[in-house]
Every structure is written in C-alpha cells, then in structure tokens.
Amino acid sequence: MADTTTLSGNRGLAIEEPLIFELGHPGRLGVDLPEPPPVDEDRLKGCRRQAPVGLPDLSEPQVVRHYTRLSQKNYGIDTGFYPLGSCTMKHNPRLAEKVARLPGLADLHPFQPQSTVQGALEVIDSLAGWLKSLTGMPAVAMTPAAGAHGEWCGLMAIRACHEDHGQGHRRRVLVPESAHGTNPASAAMCGFTVDSIPAKDNGRVDLDALRAKLGDDVACLMLTNPNTCGLFEREILEIAEAVHAAGAFFYCDGANYNAIVGRVRIADLGIDAMHINLHKTFATPHGGGGPGAGPTVLSSALAPYAPLPFVVHGDKGLTLVEHAADSGAKPFGRVKGYHGQFGVFIRALAYIISMGADGLRLASSDAVLNANYLLAGLKDVLSPSFEGPCMHECLFDDRFLKDTGVSTLDFAKALIDEGYHPMTMYFPLVVHGALLMEPTESESRETLDQYIAVVRGLAERAKAGAAESFKAAPRFTPRRRLDETLAARTPVLRWKPEAAE
Ligand SMILES: *Cc1c(COP(=O)(O)O)cnc(C)c1O
C-alpha cells in the first residue's frame, strides 16, 4: 500500500489545521487600536482581571486562513453527492439563501414592536398557510425548532388533550421498532412509556400486532410514513382506523415528507399530528445538528392545545398571541423562546413559492425516482432488504458482504476514499448491517451513474477478497479510523494551554 504520510501532515493541498489557540502567538495583533486614555479612578473597584483573558493573538491573514480552511473541511451537499439516508439532504437553492440574507429580514430583532415587523409575521403566516394546504390539516404549531422538537410538541398537545378529556391515564405510546430514535425519546420526555411494535417481513408495520397492543391506556401511535425502510405503509388507513377506535391519536413522524409532498394529503390518512422537518423538505442547509425547524400540523381536536405564540389576523393587521388569556384556546405552554426558527421559515417559504405546487410535486417524484434508480443499479450486487420498489431511500443489508471479512462500516469507510459521504449505516435496526441510501432529488443522472459504478466496484472488490484494503480505509483523509468509543465516552472539549513554567 502506498505510504500516505507527509512531513507536514498535509496531504496534497488539504492542509492540517491546528486550533486557533495553537496558532496564536502572544502580542501578535490583527488590529491597530489607539491607546486608551489614562483613567485616574479605578471604576472597577478592584475587580480588575488578574490574569490575561486567554484569547489567541493572531494577524488578520492568519485568521482569514484559519476560517477559510475550516470552511473547506465542511463536507456538504454543496460539495458533493451526499447519499445519507433518513436525514434528507436537500439542495438549497441560492435564491432561498439570498432572500434569507435580505437586510429587512436578516436584521430584525425579536423584541421589535409588532407594528414594525408585519412583513415577518406575514412570512410566518404564509408559510403556515402553505403547510396547512399541502397537508390538508387545519392547524400548525410553527415554533418547534427541529423534527424531534416537533414530535415532542405534538405529543404534548396529545397529552394535554387527553388530560382535558379525563383521559390522563393514557400514558402508553406505540412505536414501530424501525422508528427513528427520536420517537421513543420524545415520548419518554413527555412522560409516556414506550411500547414497540414489530415489523412484518415486508418491512411494514404488523397490523395484527398493532391491534393486539391497543388498549385504553394508549395515548397514541407514532408512525413514520414513508417509514425508515423507505417503504410506504400501505395499510395506513386501517392503522388510523384501529388507533382511533381505541380512543388514541395517530402521530405521524413526517421527516420523510419530502417523498410525498404534493402527492399525499396528510389529513386524508387519518393523521392527527405530524411534524414537518422544513430542513429536510423545503431547503435549508443542515447537518451536524442544525439549523432546522419542525412545524407540527394538528387536527382540529388537537389544535386548541397548540403552543404559544401564534399569529392571528386582527384589526391592526397580524398579531402574535403571546399569552394563554388572549388565545381563546388552551395552549399547553411554549416550546421555544421568541417566534420559531425564522431564518429557516424564510428559506422554506422562498423554496415553496419558487417551486410552486407543480414544482413541489415534481421534486417529491424525482426524489422517489432517484432512489429507485439507485436501487435498480445496485440490487444485483448488494442485497436489498425488501422486495419491490422503494420511496425516497433504498435499504440494503450486509448479506452481500457475507464471508468477505468486510463489514458495513469498512464498506462505508472505503466510500470516503472514493470522495463520497457514506450512506447511513446500521439504521434502521430492523435489518442486519443496514446501508440506507437517499439521493437528493436534484442530483443529475451522471452523478448517480458515477456513484453506482463506484459502489458496484467496491462490492466486487470486497467479494474478490480485498478485506485488507477495506480495513485500512479511509487512507486519504486527514484523520483515519478514529476510536469512536473513546471519543464518545471521553470527549476532549476544552483546549488547555501547555503548562506554563
Ligand atoms: C431526521 C429525523 C427525525 C428528527 O429530526 P431532527 O430535525 O433531526 O430533530 C425524526 N425522524 C426521522 C425519521 C428522521 O429522519
């Protein structure tokens, strides 16, 4: 194998970047400030700092290089193909970015008088209008800051509604075993107990098992549709009927809404609450934890419990209702400071308006088409977990790697050397060694063909007995295999100066 070490630690033009504190040199300055005038009186009354403040001292070019290099280490959808499954990586049109940077929107302050931010309230209100018409749902809580937060918001509304109707004993939440980890976590945070429902061999919820779990202590079902195996839950109407007959609500995890926008009206499926990950469906660059927004659409039964604040139309234009007493409803509280993720709202609204209803429908169709194109191009060399076509993502398991000595993890690491962000690995948990691939709908056919050729090549190499080279991957990254357990258990989050003598 070629030696990949260099004297400097750099590789080609990919330059090692120390922490900014390690780059600093005491006394070096990037600005030229006038000497402060002398003060006779110690206005700090003896509270003056005793030790240096500990900020790095750098020249301007050093600072510019540092942050420019860091920005280049950021792999994103603008850099290359990003087939990460479950967490849809949307293309972020420059138009949406440009609109979000308009000073009239970007420079607002959340404490401004409402009369001076009527346009901003209109952004929130118009986006809410779009979300309601796309889903057919009568209400939407706009303030949740992410998908998981939207789940929690929907569950809080469900809890409040049950309590209001003397059904506070309903504390059990049913969650399919393929669910995203946030589902049981949100339910637990709301004080519910979580009961899991098995999947059938075709990757969908087992309706009989679900029926057997229903009872008068069940608060709701949380179901993802399309589910995390990339499959549409075909029995969703029967599922909704069974859940409602048991007096429970039907919560839908809408993180995969990108696959069905403009094609499926959520209200027609019997869903009572669903969060929409704006960052996975309507633009907004995200990853590594943010930013996002998770507005939650609600049925008329749950709408009165929606959290504060919300926008209403009044005599003086648009008004934010901030207090329960003014709301005419029974809001369960607030989920967030201020008014929601406004920067994400702007991008989502710009995206929706620029696409139009026909464009949104086309985008969800393309998302499904692209995923099926990958599935068709790979199914004879990898092992698809389920029969038939998929929705917006295609799921494989590790049967194709049997007896090769190569694991899903090794396979993903080899993909990094080839210049691709890996697919989602080991999720969902319902199949062994999962490889979940979701191509962004805006990818060209050439990009998909190139990716298919690389994955096919790697699969053939693995089967031909190249386990060694897979174990050594990634070879071309600045950092190679990390001890992820150590990093998770004992993270080093603080920089300490070298012990001063
Ligand atoms: C991404 C995702 C979530 C959580 O959304 P966040 O915005 O990351 O909190 C929940 N469920 C599914 C299926 C997801 O893909």
Side-chain angles (χ1 to χ4, degrees):
M1 190 194 310
D3 182 4
T4 48
T5 58
T6 58
L7 296 171
S8 57
N10 303 335
R11 279 158 197 248
L13 295 177
I15 295 178
E16 275 289 320
E17 192 59 19
L19 298 177
I20 196 163
F21 292 94
E22 293 165 327
L23 289 170
H25 184 87
R28 186 168 291 151
L29 265 192
V31 286
D32 199 3
L33 296 172
E35 277 294 312
V39 270
D40 342 318
E41 187 199 357
D42 181 6
R43 279 184 288 169
L44 292 173
K45 303 283 179 228
C47 294
R48 204 173 279 278
R49 169 183 289 284
Q50 302 297 313
V53 64
L55 294 175
D57 295 357
L58 300 113
S59 69
E60 183 177 291
Q62 282 183 304
V63 175
V64 170
R65 272 191 191 155
H66 178 70
Y67 287 107
T68 307
R69 284 177 188 161
L70 288 186
S71 74
Q72 290 167 343
K73 293 189 193 309
N74 195 12
Y75 190 91
I77 194 75
D78 290 344
T79 326
F81 184 53
Y82 206 137
L84 193 74
S86 193
C87 200
T88 306
M89 289 292 155
K90 285 292 287 191
H91 165 59
N92 306 291
R94 296 307 99 166
L95 179 66
E97 291 300 317
K98 190 171 174 181
V99 174
R101 285 166 176 71
L102 291 175
L105 294 168
D107 295 347
L108 295 178
H109 193 281
F111 287 157
Q112 266 178 255
Q114 293 189 20
S115 62
T116 67
V117 290
Q118 287 291 302
L121 297 184
E122 200 177 326
V123 166
I124 299 176
D125 192 55
S126 319
L127 178 60
W130 271 96
L131 299 180
K132 287 187 281 186
S133 25
L134 283 168
T135 57
M137 299 289 276
V140 57
M142 292 298 286
T143 50
H149 202 196
E151 292 167 22
W152 182 76
C153 170
L155 292 174
M156 286 296 284
I158 287 171
R159 194 177 97 171
C161 182
H162 279 317
E163 282 172 359
D164 201 23
H165 290 86
Q167 296 284 305
H169 58 279
R170 290 185 176 267
R171 285 293 163 129
R172 195 154 53 95
V173 170
L174 305 181
V175 182
E177 54 186 12
S178 64
H180 194 272
T182 51
N183 290 191
S186 300
M189 272 189 67
C190 281
F192 292 123
T193 54
V194 177
D195 199 355
S196 85
I197 315 167
K200 283 189 298 192
D201 289 346
N202 68 6
R204 291 161 175 99
V205 163
D206 185 334
L207 184 53
D208 292 333
L210 167 67
R211 284 208 173 97
K213 295 248 180 183
L214 285 166
D216 66 6
D217 62 333
V218 172
C220 70
L221 164 74
M222 287 185 95
L223 184 79
T224 312
N225 199 21
N227 69 22
T228 57
C229 301
L231 303 171
F232 195 83
E233 294 283 356
R234 292 189 210 116
E235 294 179 306
I236 191 155
L237 294 176
E238 288 85 343
I239 291 172
E241 206 179 292
V243 168
H244 289 148
F249 285 107
F250 181 5
Y251 185 92
C252 182
D253 177 334
N256 296 333
Y257 188 46
N258 195 48
I260 53 176
V261 177
R263 303 200 144 254
V264 175
R265 272 166 39 106
I266 298 306
D268 296 344
L269 303 180
I271 288 162
D272 298 295
M274 181 185 93
H275 72 267
I276 299 171
N277 299 54
L278 294 184
H279 49 295
K280 295 182 188 173
T281 309
F282 304 114
T284 289
H286 77 285
T296 304
V297 289
L298 300 168
S299 65
S300 51
L302 295 175
Y305 308 94
L308 297 163
F310 48 81
V311 177
V312 293
H313 294 251
D315 317 335
K316 296 195 199 110
L318 296 169
T319 315
L320 266 175
V321 176
E322 299 267 11
H323 303 285
D326 306 331
S327 71
K330 304 172 182 175
F332 70 75
R334 281 186 87 103
V335 300
K336 193 181 182 310
Y338 308 124
H339 319 111
Q341 300 281 65
F342 189 64
V344 180
F345 294 167
I346 301 168
R347 289 174 175 85
L349 184 60
Y351 179 83
I352 289 175
I353 293 176
S354 65
M355 296 289 278
D358 56 335
L360 294 174
R361 191 180 154 90
L362 186 63
S364 56
S365 313
D366 283 350
V368 174
L369 181 65
N370 277 3
N372 279 286
Y373 190 76
L374 285 195
L375 178 61
L378 293 172
K379 68 178 176 190
D380 59 323
V381 286
L382 307 191
S383 29
S385 300
F386 301 107
E387 286 272 302
C390 59
M391 293 294 287
H392 60 301
E393 53 196 352
C394 49
L395 178 61
F396 303 93
D397 51 46
D398 60 4
R399 279 171 298 153
F400 76 101
L401 293 172
K402 193 168 181 289
D403 301 329
T404 60
V406 176
S407 67
T408 294
L409 180 73
D410 302 329
F411 198 80
K413 296 291 184 195
L415 206 52
I416 297 177
D417 276 343
E418 299 290 341
Y420 291 101
H421 189 285
M423 64 295 272
T424 291
M425 300 173 287
Y426 302 107
F427 177 83
L429 304 175
V430 287
V431 303
H432 195 269
L435 301 97
L436 182 63
M437 302 179 191
E438 178 175 355
T440 302
E441 69 273 350
S442 47
E443 293 301 345
S444 67
R445 183 169 171 182
E446 294 74 28
T447 301
L448 299 179
D449 283 338
Q450 233 173 35
Y451 173 77
I452 289 171
V454 167
V455 174
R456 291 186 70 89
L458 288 176
E460 277 151 20
R461 216 183 271 176
K463 289 174 195 176
E468 288 288 293
S469 80
F470 279 88
K471 296 282 173 211
R475 286 177 293 152
F476 304 126
T477 49
R479 295 289 175 277
R480 300 185 60 187
R481 294 254 183 145
L482 305 179
D483 185 339
E484 288 170 27
T485 315
L486 185 69
R489 296 273 156 80
T490 329
V492 181
L493 301 175
R494 285 190 77 159
W495 176 82
K496 293 202 197 81
E498 277 177 30
E501 301 297 280

